[in-house]
């Protein structure tokens, strides 16, 4: 399939990535070449495995629900670019 | 004593015999680090920290504490494995100043076993690349020819072991990121079965494919290191319950049946093909039965791999939003604008491309054609491998179709470079163990690696085969 500028803009938006016109052109070419290669999979008969792929080998790993020490709040907050004594600081979320 | 000639096991034994000290070992690797600084193998290394650790470990050894067969050995760690004593940048502007508040399980186990971490190695940004050129901190150069790449994404790890800047290294292997740089730099690299080593603290790229792997001079050193870092971890529910033994015994080659897929010696560099044939001949002379087989999965595997890996990357990397850790843009008009600017400034071109590709294959309308189809292809590849392993003990391929290419100076990885992973990515899709064994050079003296692939959880046998070949005259 062909990758259009419209598709690039849509997936950049979904990815929360801002791209300029030069980047858009490069991304359209690069992603287009990759998708063209990936279209090779259309020629592969996988009908035998169609029902297996989604749920194969999926199982739960459970543990006892015990309270264990967690990370120190101060240590976690120190990793954040902007924070005060007990919270992350973010831009205004609601008007 | 010439420390450059010692393996990691020999170094630790010499320290325990009192022939040298942990401080001598640390001094040696930092002398090498100074000498080879131009190769750009490290993002961070800390001599003061390493010397302090050397003193602590030496005191433990002197008190007669039984730490491990690798106690006192200096080791480097890829910069996507969390360390509370070092920044963990993933070679990205996004995490340039990020210092985790915990150690990865593997790091905890190394420290408990008395190994000495000396620094964090350079890599492709977020492990996305196979040349070492996408790093925010500059390209890693090949130790044999500095105009050529070191391979990737665990570029600095391979270079550090190849040049004596560490005796061992930990890397991560999502599609060949340990084996391929090991091949290009002439060292031994091993990717364990998925789930053998805990991923807790490994910064995620593609979670169902990521696995921590090891670099060393020999298979024996890798086995000793894996014995320390492997095993069940309550913080990683995908770790395998039963501990895999790493009590390395040379594989009885006379009993071995080995398959070489014809596809793997067709269209590859002539010297690379020659090395695989020569390796097979060596095994044959030692009594192994070697057959050439048809296994037509490789082109499909590359396509399936990049769909699955990019899809998982688009999800895993959504956490970088400028709030809890990492870079935040300075100027923005709203929360949404902050996300956009932070991510656009923090990620390099290749990372942006893979996130966008991942979001594309997961989009409504394309999901079935790409992502679901790739999962079906993965199941087919699993079945094909199972069929081969019902008749053979090992599969032999080149690690990469060519030796290390020239540095091209771009931050974008093209399709041809993606196809360089053709022999390594199927192994990750099926979660198998595989080693890259250094075996000869091309006409320009660039190292060649031969890949040994084994059935799931037969890690010890893969290492055993590599060990047996090295021990034999023909393997030298």
């Amino acid at each position: 399939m062909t990758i259009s500028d419209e598709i690039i803009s849509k997936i950049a938006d979904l990815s929360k990535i801002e791209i300029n016109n030069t980047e858009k052109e490069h991304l359209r070419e690069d992603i287009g070449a990759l998708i063209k290669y990936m279209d090779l999979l259309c020629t592969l008969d996988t009908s035998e495995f169609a029902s297996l792929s989604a749920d194969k080998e999926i199982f739960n790993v459970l543990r006892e629900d015990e309270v264990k020490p967690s990370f120190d709040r101060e240590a976690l907050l120190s990793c954040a670019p902007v924070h005060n004594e007990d919270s992350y600081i973010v831009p205004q979320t609601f008007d | 004593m010439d420390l450059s000639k010692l393996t990691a096991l020999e170094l630790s034994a010499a320290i325990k015999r009192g022939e040298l000290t942990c401080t001598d070992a640390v001094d040696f690797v930092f002398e090498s680090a100074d000498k080879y600084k131009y190769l750009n193998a490290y993002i961070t290394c800390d001599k003061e920290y390493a010397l302090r650790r050397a003193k602590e470990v030496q005191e433990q050894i002197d008190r007669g504490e039984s730490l491990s067969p690798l106690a006192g050995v200096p080791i480097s760690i890829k910069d996507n494995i969390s360390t509370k004593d070092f920044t963990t940048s993933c070679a990205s502007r996004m995490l340039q100043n990020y210092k985790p508040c915990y150690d990865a399980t593997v790091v905890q186990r190394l420290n408990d076993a008395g190994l000495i971490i000396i620094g964090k190695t350079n890599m492709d940004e977020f492990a996305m690349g196979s040349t070492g050129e996408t790093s925010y901190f500059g390209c890693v150069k090949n130790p044999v020819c500095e105009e050529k790449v070191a391979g990737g994404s665990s570029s600095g790890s391979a270079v550090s072991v190849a040049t004596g800047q560490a005796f061992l290294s930990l890397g991560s292997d999502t599609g060949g990121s340990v084996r391929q740089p090991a091949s290009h730099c002439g060292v031994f690299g091993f990717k364990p079965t998925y789930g053998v080593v805990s991923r807790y603290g490994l910064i995620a790229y593609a979670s169902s494919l990521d696995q921590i792997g090891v670099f060393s001079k020999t298979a024996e050193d890798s086995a000793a290191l894996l014995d320390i870092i492997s095993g069940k971890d309550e913080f990683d529910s995908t770790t395998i319950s039963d501990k895999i033994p790493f009590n390395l015994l040379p594989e009885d080659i006379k009993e071995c049946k080995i398959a070489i897929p014809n596809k793997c010696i067709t269209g590859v560099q002539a010297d690379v093909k020659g090395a695989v044939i020569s390796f097979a001949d060596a095994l044959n002379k030692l009594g192994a039965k070697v057959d050439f087989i048809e296994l037509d999965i490789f082109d499909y595997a590359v396509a399936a791999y990049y769909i699955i890996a990019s899809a998982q990357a688009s999800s895993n990397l959504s956490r970088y939003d400028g709030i809890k850790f990492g870079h935040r843009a300075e100027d923005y008009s709203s929360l949404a604008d902050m996300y956009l600017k932070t991510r656009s400034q923090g990620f390099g071109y290749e990372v942006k491309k893979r996130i966008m590709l991942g979001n594309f294959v997961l989009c409504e309308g394309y999901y079935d054609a790409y992502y679901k189809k790739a999962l079906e292809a993965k199941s087919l590849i699993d079945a094909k491998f199972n069929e081969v392993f019902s008749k053979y003990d090992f599969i032999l391929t080149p690690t990469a179709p060519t030796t290390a290419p020239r540095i091209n100076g771009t931050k974008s990885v093209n399709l041809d470079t993606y196809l360089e992973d053709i022999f390594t990515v199927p192994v990750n899709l099926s979660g198998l163990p595989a080693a890259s064994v250094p075996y000869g050079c091309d006409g320009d003296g660039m190292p060649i690696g031969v890949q040994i692939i084994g059935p799931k959880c037969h890690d010890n046998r893969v290492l055993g085969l590599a060990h047996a070949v090295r021990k034999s005259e023909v393997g030298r």
Side-chain angles (χ1 to χ4, degrees):
Chain A
M1 75 166 287
T2 310
I3 300 296
S4 63
D5 279 351
E6 199 183 355
I7 291 177
I8 293 295
S9 298
K10 184 187 171 191
I11 56 177
D13 185 44
L14 283 172
S15 306
K16 297 279 178 281
I17 288 170
E18 204 172 40
I19 50 171
N20 59 34
N21 284 339
T22 315
E23 279 181 317
K24 185 186 274 188
E25 179 62 24
H26 287 150
L27 286 163
R28 193 172 55 76
E29 279 176 20
D30 288 355
I31 292 178
L34 289 169
I35 294 295
K36 195 174 168 195
Y37 184 77
M38 287 164 179
D39 284 338
L40 179 70
L41 286 182
C42 301
T43 63
L44 186 66
D45 178 9
T46 56
S47 51
E48 197 185 329
F49 303 94
S51 61
L52 297 172
S53 56
D55 55 1
K56 193 184 161 203
E57 293 179 3
I58 292 178
F59 55 91
N60 280 324
V61 178
L62 303 174
R63 61 168 173 77
E64 292 301 314
D65 188 14
E66 295 167 350
V67 176
K68 291 186 177 174
S70 187
F71 291 111
D72 176 63
R73 174 191 288 229
E74 202 177 319
L76 284 176
L77 283 170
S78 72
C79 297
V82 190
H83 63 95
N84 64 17
E85 280 178 10
D86 55 9
S87 304
Y88 298 117
I89 307 287
V90 298
Q92 185 177 339
T93 309
F94 299 105
D95 290 330
Chain B
M1 187 181 292
D2 183 359
L3 271 65
S4 68
K5 299 275 192 290
L6 298 181
T7 66
L9 284 165
E10 288 167 349
L11 176 72
S12 182
I15 292 171
K16 284 166 195 155
R17 286 195 303 268
E19 292 166 15
L20 51 98
T21 65
C22 296
T23 303
D24 295 334
V26 167
D27 282 340
F28 170 78
V29 294
F30 276 94
E31 276 170 29
S32 303
D34 285 341
K35 185 177 169 189
Y36 293 107
K37 199 171 173 52
Y38 65 95
L39 296 175
N40 206 17
Y42 282 99
I43 291 174
T44 317
C45 56
D46 186 342
K47 190 170 181 182
E48 269 181 42
Y49 168 86
L51 286 171
R52 205 164 54 242
R53 275 285 296 149
K55 191 164 173 282
E56 285 169 13
V57 175
Q58 188 67 53
E59 284 169 3
Q60 287 176 287
I61 291 171
D62 292 344
R63 282 198 299 270
E65 288 181 31
S66 168
L67 292 166
S68 76
L70 292 173
V73 173
I75 184 168
S76 63
I77 310 283
K78 188 176 181 179
D79 210 23
N80 62 349
I81 298 175
S82 299
T83 42
K84 64 182 177 190
D85 294 320
F86 296 85
T87 54
T88 299
S89 73
C90 281
S92 178
R93 184 183 179 195
M94 183 64 88
L95 294 177
Q96 188 176 6
N97 301 310
Y98 169 59
K99 199 172 207 181
C101 55
Y102 69 105
D103 279 330
T105 296
V106 289
V107 169
Q108 182 69 54
R109 289 180 182 178
L110 291 179
N111 284 332
D112 292 347
L115 282 91
I116 300 165
I117 296 171
I118 57 168
K120 305 295 291 293
T121 55
N122 204 350
M123 54 183 278
D124 281 295
E125 186 181 2
F126 280 102
M128 296 180 192
S130 43
T131 61
E133 291 170 286
T134 68
S135 169
Y136 179 65
F137 299 99
C139 175
V140 183
K141 294 170 181 171
N142 192 292
V144 179
C145 171
E146 59 180 292
E147 290 169 3
K148 296 192 172 180
V149 303
S153 64
S154 310
S155 330
S157 287
V159 172
S160 69
V161 172
T163 52
Q165 301 183 61
F167 282 81
L168 298 165
S169 191
L170 292 189
S172 65
D173 191 317
T174 305
S177 286
V178 165
R179 290 159 286 155
Q180 189 253 33
S183 172
H184 285 350
C185 294
V187 297
F188 186 84
F190 185 78
K191 175 225 166 281
T193 296
Y194 184 80
V196 163
V197 177
S198 167
R199 289 179 295 112
Y200 180 69
L202 169 65
I203 295 181
Y205 163 20
S207 309
S208 76
L209 307 168
D210 294 341
Q211 183 63 191
I212 288 174
V214 298
F215 293 89
S216 59
K217 290 179 185 168
T218 65
E220 299 95 302
D221 279 356
S222 278
L225 181 55
L226 286 159
D227 196 42
I228 291 166
I229 62 171
S230 63
K232 184 76 186 159
D233 178 15
E234 65 170 327
F235 296 119
D236 176 0
S237 65
T238 62
T239 45
I240 295 168
S241 302
D242 299 326
K243 165 102 176 154
I244 300 234
F246 285 103
N247 51 344
L248 192 61
L249 294 171
E251 181 76 12
D252 186 354
I253 296 179
K254 283 199 177 84
E255 301 296 319
C256 279
K257 284 180 283 182
I258 293 163
I260 301 180
N262 284 317
K263 166 75 186 172
C264 300
I265 49 168
T266 309
V268 301
Q269 187 180 325
D271 290 324
V272 171
K273 177 181 176 179
V276 175
I277 300 292
S278 162
F279 195 93
D281 285 346
L283 291 170
N284 203 244
K285 280 182 190 143
L286 291 168
K289 182 175 178 292
V290 181
D291 286 340
F292 292 88
I293 62 160
E294 294 306 321
L295 182 62
D296 191 19
I297 57 167
F298 295 94
D299 291 314
Y300 301 114
V302 175
Y305 169 81
Y306 277 99
I307 291 170
I308 294 170
S310 299
Q312 294 183 13
S314 70
S315 170
N316 276 325
L317 273 69
S318 63
R319 74 191 67 183
Y320 302 106
D321 55 5
I323 292 176
K324 292 189 283 300
F325 37 67
H327 174 74
R328 180 189 287 192
E330 284 186 3
D331 297 314
Y332 45 84
S333 57
S334 65
L335 183 67
D337 192 43
M338 186 199 79
Y339 291 152
L340 276 178
K341 290 205 162 59
T342 293
R343 289 166 64 79
S344 304
Q345 293 168 8
F347 293 137
Y349 180 83
E350 183 62 26
V351 176
K352 289 177 190 171
K353 184 169 86 187
R354 294 198 195 192
I355 291 172
M356 287 171 60
L357 180 63
N359 276 318
F360 172 79
V361 298
L362 292 173
C363 266
E364 189 185 2
Y366 305 116
Y367 178 91
D368 282 356
Y370 293 99
Y371 190 67
K372 189 165 175 284
K373 185 73 180 179
L375 291 180
E376 289 170 8
K378 179 202 171 312
S379 297
L380 184 147
I381 290 163
D382 288 347
K384 294 271 186 190
F385 270 128
N386 286 339
E387 198 182 316
V388 176
F389 286 126
S390 69
K391 297 175 194 149
Y392 295 93
D393 298 296
F394 303 102
I395 298 171
L396 210 63
T397 77
T399 306
T402 67
T403 54
R406 290 196 174 274
I407 294 169
N408 82 10
T410 71
K411 297 261 181 195
S412 170
V413 182
N414 61 29
L415 180 59
D416 289 343
T417 307
Y418 283 20
L419 291 170
E420 289 275 307
D421 299 339
I422 192 163
F423 304 133
T424 49
V425 294
V427 170
N428 297 74
L429 284 174
S430 293
L432 305 174
S436 178
V437 184
Y439 201 77
C441 298
D442 70 7
D444 294 328
M446 298 308 294
I448 297 170
V450 174
Q451 179 174 235
I452 303 170
I453 308 169
K456 215 171 262 190
C457 295
H458 287 229
D459 301 48
N460 204 34
R461 292 191 64 204
V462 173
L463 289 161
L465 183 66
H467 181 47
V469 172
R470 180 172 169 265
K471 284 279 173 199
S472 71
E473 282 303 311
V474 286
R476 287 168 196 271

